[in-house]
Amino acid sequence: MKPNIFLIGFMGTGKTTLGQILADQTGMTFIDMDAQIEERTGKTIADIFKEDGETWFRKKETEVLAESIIQENQVFSTGGGIVLRPRNKELMKNNGIVIALKANINTIWERLKNTSNRPLLNSQNPKEALQILYQQRIDLYDFAHISIQVDGRSQAELIKEITAKISLFNSAHIW
Ligand code: S3P
């Protein structure tokens, strides 16, 4: 069995970019959760938040996760808020290897300050909104099997560390 890999972490930690590279390198299938939700609903994440609300989005997120983990051999890049529901954490932890990408708040702000596609930061003061969310969520990613600090590191370095840690984890784990 080739277990699923779940990349979790705050917005802007590089889950999608690294997930795609990891999938390409390992020949695993890449699943971008937000893209799946957009495809299934025919709406952008921003429109879902605006028209249906965050609670509806969270339900959809769990639904897509629960349906997708039935298959193996997939790399998931998850939305930053996936850790808000204990059920999602349980689903991921019981169905593969959970990898948390961690970054300090300055790194995240530098990466997100010029983007407009994060509805939760779409406020009068996005920096303050980010600080509040960051503080609220900082501990929620700690349940992961593996944690990787991404600040100031190249994609190549990060992929090397991730693959090494996955091998180590697999060698000590019976699936
Ligand atoms: C969210 C993060 C986003 C997306 C949605 C909500 C969050 O994904 O799922 O805007 O609650 O942190 P990214 O982490 O890929 O930006």
Side-chain angles (χ1 to χ4, degrees):
M1 168 192 170
K2 227 174 172 185
N4 288 319
I5 294 171
F6 300 96
L7 294 182
I8 65 166
F10 202 84
M11 289 175 262
T13 49
K15 295 164 297 207
T16 304
T17 312
L18 293 173
Q20 182 72 71
I21 298 172
L22 197 61
D24 288 347
Q25 279 193 6
T26 53
M28 295 171 80
T29 306
F30 179 59
I31 309 271
D32 181 314
M33 289 275 301
D34 281 348
Q36 287 283 323
I37 296 168
E38 290 186 334
E39 201 174 295
R40 284 179 190 219
T41 56
K43 287 183 181 186
T44 63
I45 300 295
D47 282 345
I48 296 174
F49 269 74
K50 214 180 330 162
E51 293 165 18
D52 308 294
E54 182 173 352
T55 307
W56 192 89
F57 171 79
R58 297 291 168 211
K59 279 193 196 140
K60 205 71 199 159
E61 197 173 37
T62 303
E63 196 181 295
V64 171
L65 180 66
E67 283 171 19
S68 310
I69 54 170
I70 295 165
Q71 308 288 330
E72 294 170 358
N73 202 27
Q74 308 171 104
V75 177
F76 285 81
S77 112
T78 62
I82 195 115
V83 293
L84 294 174
R85 287 186 148 201
R87 170 93 183 117
N88 297 342
K89 292 202 215 179
E90 194 183 287
L91 284 170
M92 292 189 284
K93 195 124 193 195
N94 295 336
N95 287 281
I97 309 174
V98 184
I99 303 176
L101 301 181
K102 299 195 170 181
N104 70 45
I105 194 161
N106 298 327
T107 302
I108 292 175
W109 176 245
E110 282 308 310
R111 290 182 181 184
L112 298 183
K113 68 181 181 191
N114 294 320
T115 61
S116 57
N117 60 346
R118 301 307 204 290
L120 292 174
L121 303 183
N122 214 350
S123 75
Q124 294 271 22
N125 188 340
K127 193 169 189 181
E128 191 184 70
L130 171 65
Q131 280 162 343
I132 293 169
L133 263 190
Y134 188 86
Q135 281 315 317
Q136 282 172 347
R137 294 184 178 178
I138 184 118
D139 300 330
L140 297 182
Y141 304 101
D142 288 345
F143 77 103
H145 297 112
I146 294 169
S147 289
I148 310 273
Q149 198 69 35
V150 303
D151 308 275
R153 304 182 63 201
S154 70
Q155 285 174 2
E157 264 180 288
L158 291 169
I159 291 291
K160 209 167 150 195
E161 183 177 345
I162 292 171
T163 44
K165 287 194 168 167
I166 291 173
S167 299
L168 201 64
F169 182 85
N170 272 330
S171 65
H173 195 89
I174 299 162
W175 291 102

